[in-house]
Amino acid sequence: MLTEKEVLTTLEMLRNEHLDVRTVTLGLSLFDLATHDVGRFQDRLLSRITGMAASLVDVCDEVGDIYGIPVVNKRISVSPMAVVGAPFSSRELVQTAMTLDQAAQEVGVDFIGGFSALVEKGLARGDLSLIEAVPEALTATSRLCASFNVATTAAGINMDAVLLLAKTIKAAAARTADQDGLACAKLGVFANIPQDVPFMAGAYLGVGEPNAVINVGVSGPGVVKRALERAMEADDHLALDEISEVIKRTAFKVTRIGELIGREVAKRLNVPFGVVDLSLAPTPNVGDSVGEIFQVLGLAHIGAPGSTAALAMLNDAVKKGGAFASSSVGGFSGAFIPVSEDLNIAQAAAEGHLTLPKLEALTSVCSVGLDMVALPGDTSAETLAAIIADEMAIGVINRKTTAARLIPVPGKKAGEKAFFGGLLGEAVIIPVPGSGGSDRFINLGGRVPAPLQSLGN
């Protein structure tokens, strides 16, 4: 039972601490639309999405108004296009990308995800066509997101796919050089990707999902920060186990709010409710930063020694509190540390406190990975592939989701700034230690075998 004081703090979260529902994502299955005729497929695609999602934005706004809880982003995820559009050439898949983007614009959602392929064990014809289409597709569209799963704990790491996608990232960056490689901000490479993610760029609707479903992603960095500040002001001798308890209770309340909104939206759209994603999702706004939580915990900045332990505790406490609040938890469910989208983290990177190796260490204990990391434009495809492979290995060995959303900014070097705009923010380009030293290893290709499960250490 929540106390009166806890109800009041929940109201305070809404009014002053940036609590919102970060995203409501409508997942739509497209498998029954498959055909060899690309024109017919595009017509079916447009009709399905604009029909099923016609009232998504209005319903989210209505529910948000009723409960006083804003739904910041409304999004759509669809079945992996490499499977649904397997008969098509890369040229035809670019056409379907433009249809997806058109549908997203017509229904007014922020992003549409699912230009995706699952290639952890190999590359089929549809996968290769889709990857070839990605640079042009992400350049010609504004709301489309792409994701690729190149590794799982069960299958290992497909290194051929890793290198191919690194080259694709370079090509996408070159096509959007006048926007600091913006296309790469809409492309994620994953290990152990979940099928019910509401957040972009990883959202797609998996093959085990229903015909339509509502998944919800909550916010919360500002709320957790203020809850800790209040608790530590009231008692300046709080120990870490007591601080963890404060985070758990806060995550419980945030999750209940997310599930309340998600279930109401699903009910009004007459589709099933799926999951609440427990991720702490920051924005570039002051007071809504994961990085600021580290400072409340007594670290000078994120990246200082102790940051990995602090993030591990934060992530675990959020999961424990959220899991108690909902029986439908899914997606990434971890703290995001996107460099450009979090003002405090971007500042730590700009000042040299947060390096690429330290970011990689942090991702071993949190979701989702090296996220929105701006790199020098002359970083080679082989070096990008090596960075991705390292991140995939962390996910595979630790049986967790990890990802790389890397942006080699064309024409810019370490120390210069990249600007992406809006929620994507801006970031100082960080150096890559040992760049160029992985070429021979990466070009060996093949697949890193799946790890042994029984001798964990």
Side-chain angles (χ1 to χ4, degrees):
M1 177 71 73
L2 293 176
T3 65
E4 183 177 317
K5 184 178 179 182
E6 286 175 312
V7 173
L8 291 175
T9 59
T10 304
L11 291 173
E12 185 70 12
M13 291 175 185
L14 296 169
R15 289 175 182 159
N16 301 318
E17 298 170 8
H18 304 282
L19 177 60
D20 52 47
V21 172
R22 183 54 48 83
T23 180
V24 168
T25 301
L26 173 63
L28 294 175
S29 174
L30 304 179
F31 290 117
D32 58 324
L33 307 185
T35 169
H36 283 75
D37 184 329
V38 70
R40 193 175 178 189
F41 180 67
Q42 287 177 273
D43 291 341
R44 290 178 174 180
L45 204 56
L46 193 60
S47 176
R48 169 64 56 84
I49 295 171
T50 55
M52 293 289 292
S55 58
L56 173 64
V57 173
D58 289 341
V59 167
C60 288
D61 289 341
E62 287 169 12
V63 173
D65 288 343
I66 290 171
Y67 291 97
I69 303 166
V71 177
V72 179
N73 299 297
K74 299 88 177 177
R75 296 166 174 172
I76 295 171
S77 62
V78 298
S79 308
M81 193 51 60
V83 180
V84 184
F88 302 138
S89 66
S90 61
R91 169 52 51 191
E92 291 169 325
L93 285 169
V94 171
Q95 294 174 30
T96 65
M98 297 179 77
T99 302
L100 288 169
D101 198 58
Q102 179 189 347
Q105 291 190 44
E106 288 190 13
V107 299
V109 296
D110 307 284
F111 284 113
I112 183 166
F115 206 68
S116 307
L118 310 175
V119 295
E120 60 269 15
K121 289 189 76 174
L123 292 148
R125 173 187 161 185
D127 304 324
L128 289 167
S129 295
L130 190 88
I131 293 171
E132 188 179 346
V134 161
E136 185 176 352
L138 293 185
T139 304
T141 60
S142 60
R143 306 188 189 205
L144 182 71
C145 290
S147 58
F148 297 88
N149 194 66
V150 300
T152 67
T153 300
I157 307 172
N158 183 344
M159 294 297 288
D160 295 327
V162 168
L163 181 56
L164 183 57
L165 284 166
K167 292 176 179 175
T168 302
I169 290 169
K170 290 284 288 183
R175 279 180 174 268
T176 49
D178 60 338
Q179 298 172 287
D180 284 344
L182 179 63
C184 301
K186 299 182 287 180
L187 195 170
V189 183
F190 287 81
N192 293 323
I193 189 171
Q195 300 191 30
D196 52 10
V197 177
F199 287 106
M200 299 294 171
Y204 77 101
L205 189 71
V207 296
E209 296 288 309
N211 197 47
V213 65
I214 287 289
N215 295 318
V216 172
V218 295
S219 173
V223 174
V224 171
K225 178 198 167 198
R226 279 298 300 139
L228 291 176
E229 286 175 337
R230 277 193 296 268
M232 296 172 83
E233 284 167 8
D235 181 355
D236 59 2
H237 291 94
L238 278 183
L240 285 172
D241 54 336
E242 295 168 307
I243 289 172
S244 174
E245 187 65 22
V246 173
I247 298 171
K248 279 167 56 182
R249 294 178 72 85
T250 305
F252 175 87
K253 286 181 271 191
V254 169
T255 305
R256 295 295 275 183
I257 289 172
E259 181 157 335
L260 170 71
I261 296 297
R263 288 193 181 278
E264 186 62 27
V265 170
K267 180 181 174 185
R268 292 179 180 229
L269 290 175
N270 196 30
V271 300
F273 174 71
V275 300
V276 182
D277 186 319
L278 304 180
S279 299
L280 288 181
T283 69
N285 300 323
V286 174
D288 199 24
S289 161
V290 171
E292 289 175 352
I293 297 173
F294 287 72
Q295 293 174 324
V296 176
L297 292 174
L299 293 166
H301 45 72
I302 184 171
S307 297
T308 307
L311 184 57
M313 182 194 73
L314 171 66
N315 213 33
D316 181 66
V318 167
K319 289 183 179 182
K320 286 173 177 170
F324 187 60
S326 173
S327 58
S328 300
V329 173
F332 295 136
S333 290
F336 291 172
I337 51 170
V339 176
S340 75
E341 296 176 2
D342 185 307
L343 189 63
N344 188 280
I345 294 177
Q347 187 176 352
E351 293 172 352
H353 302 308
L354 194 54
T355 62
L356 190 62
K358 186 61 180 177
L359 272 170
E360 187 180 300
L362 291 173
T363 66
S364 66
V365 298
C366 83
S367 295
V368 163
L370 295 171
D371 197 12
M372 292 297 291
V373 180
L375 302 173
D378 61 359
T379 306
S380 70
E382 285 76 9
T383 297
L384 285 177
I387 296 169
I388 294 170
D390 284 345
E391 193 59 34
M392 299 301 104
I394 290 172
V396 166
I397 297 297
N398 291 291
R399 306 179 187 92
K400 68 189 289 293
T401 302
T402 54
R405 189 160 47 150
L406 307 176
I407 308 169
V409 184
K412 292 191 175 180
K413 298 179 180 177
E416 295 186 75
K417 222 167 192 179
F419 301 89
F420 307 116
L423 190 64
L424 299 175
E426 59 186 53
V428 166
I429 297 165
I430 59 177
V432 181
S435 183
S438 319
D439 295 9
R440 187 163 180 268
F441 169 71
I442 289 300
N443 281 303
L444 291 174
R447 184 154 56 95
V448 175
L452 185 66
Q453 300 289 299
S454 61
L455 298 177
N457 204 340

